[in-house]
Amino acid sequence: MDRALAPIFDALRPYLTPLTHNLPSPLSSLSVSLLGAACHQTLLLDLQPTTPCLKLAFSKTLGVAIISASSIVKVPQILKLLASKSPAGISFSSYALETLAYLISLAYNTRMGFPFSTYGETALIAAQNVVIAVLVLQFAGQGPLAASFVATLGALGWALFREQVVGMDTLGTLMAGAGALGVVSKVPQIWTVYQEGGTGQLSAFAVFNYLVGSLTRIFTTLQEVDDKLILYGFVAGFALNAILAAQMVYYWNSPQTAGHAGEIGKKPEAIAMGSSTGAQPKVKSPTTRRRG
């Protein structure tokens, strides 16, 4: 890679050097914080395309892109819930488990001092998960449970970020469990879609972005974080995200899939969220039920 890019950098160096050596202080500081002093010097100041620094720069770019995308990744899901006022096709259990896993992961990564670009999206996605879970409970007539859910998460977050309450050894053990928990959190959603033969109010945008994000996170983790617990969690998460994405494609035109039922002249039925909400699934005719 170094040799292939060297002629390009050699040709551009006379024109780029005056720019890279006179970057505004905030941009220069940002580059150092992301790439480190050595790769900042090599790539931006010396304009030497070394393979390790190029891989790091690519990984950092992907990480920043993931964090930026995660700020809106579940907004379409929130908007669908607000518009429909129905939790059809959405598993509260799935969102609750995933949020708990993200909360543990966020505390672990923060306290371990890992680069924010390798985990920053967990905070943004967790916040959006809380909103979705609360809306699901609210529209299922479980308002008091929604308040209890938020209060419990707040108490857990307070404890996880404090060394005097949860030591690093204990947090490491919890992180091992969080990886499994994050994977297991996909199972209720996969099962709900399979059982009901449609994706209901589940957002395709969120599902496919999750798939791409989890694959990208495998690369950034390999490049920047020497922690197998985190890597294995992303690998397993990608596998289950792929199953959920495949279901989204398979049930795209199902009568039970909101946003597509109108195209075939049928009204989507309410889909159970899972037993955690206390909602009872409707009994449906076998003729409208599709199996994956």
Side-chain angles (χ1 to χ4, degrees):
M1 183 184 297
D2 299 14
R3 292 181 179 180
L5 293 177
I8 299 175
F9 274 74
D10 288 342
L12 294 176
R13 189 172 292 110
Y15 305 99
L16 294 179
T17 298
L19 297 176
T20 59
H21 280 255
N22 292 282
L23 287 174
S25 181
L27 289 180
S28 181
S29 299
L30 178 62
S31 174
V32 172
S33 65
L34 288 175
L35 300 177
C39 283
H40 170 77
Q41 177 71 38
T42 300
L43 289 180
L44 285 185
L45 300 182
D46 298 338
L47 294 175
Q48 296 292 339
T50 63
T51 298
C53 287
L54 286 173
K55 285 184 176 180
L56 177 61
F58 183 59
S59 178
K60 291 294 186 181
T61 301
L62 288 177
V64 171
I66 291 174
I67 294 172
S68 300
S70 69
S71 64
I72 62 167
V73 68
K74 294 200 174 183
V75 170
Q77 182 66 80
I78 294 171
L79 294 177
K80 286 191 73 174
L81 280 168
L82 290 172
S84 67
K85 300 190 185 309
S86 166
I90 302 175
S91 169
F92 168 75
S93 299
S94 181
Y95 276 94
L97 291 173
E98 184 181 62
T99 303
L100 178 57
Y102 275 175
L103 187 60
I104 295 171
S105 178
L106 182 62
Y108 179 81
N109 279 277
T110 301
R111 289 173 57 176
M112 286 291 290
F114 291 138
F116 185 75
S117 61
T118 63
Y119 69 89
E121 77 278 2
T122 59
L124 298 171
I125 295 176
Q128 293 169 79
N129 276 355
V130 172
V131 174
I132 293 170
V134 168
L135 289 175
V136 168
L137 290 172
Q138 187 68 36
F139 294 141
Q142 300 289 333
L145 183 57
S148 299
F149 172 68
V150 174
T152 300
L153 285 178
L156 287 173
W158 178 86
L160 289 170
F161 280 89
R162 283 164 173 75
E163 174 71 30
Q164 62 271 30
V165 179
V166 178
M168 276 308 303
D169 289 342
T170 302
L171 187 58
T173 302
L174 290 174
M175 183 61 197
L181 190 62
V183 173
V184 171
S185 71
K186 302 295 181 184
V187 175
Q189 184 64 72
I190 291 171
W191 177 250
T192 296
V193 172
Y194 169 78
Q195 186 178 39
E196 302 302 332
T199 57
Q201 298 297 329
L202 195 61
S203 167
F205 178 86
V207 169
F208 290 120
N209 272 275
Y210 247 49
L211 180 65
V212 174
S214 58
L215 177 61
T216 305
R217 269 297 171 229
I218 293 174
F219 175 79
T220 61
T221 301
L222 286 170
Q223 291 299 313
E224 301 183 55
V225 178
D226 185 18
D227 194 312
K228 299 301 182 184
L229 289 176
I230 296 176
L231 176 62
Y232 294 156
F234 282 128
V235 171
F238 171 76
L240 291 184
N241 281 331
I243 294 174
L244 194 55
Q247 286 182 314
M248 181 65 70
V249 173
Y250 183 78
Y251 292 117
W252 192 262
N253 293 313
S254 166
Q256 308 307 317
T257 299
H260 301 285
E263 297 173 4
I264 55 177
K266 293 186 179 182
K267 182 179 180 180
E269 299 179 42
I271 299 178
M273 305 160 294
S275 58
S276 297
T277 63
Q280 296 298 319
K282 288 188 177 182
V283 178
K284 301 189 301 302
S285 167
T287 59
T288 63
R289 186 168 180 166
R290 296 180 59 187
R291 292 290 185 179

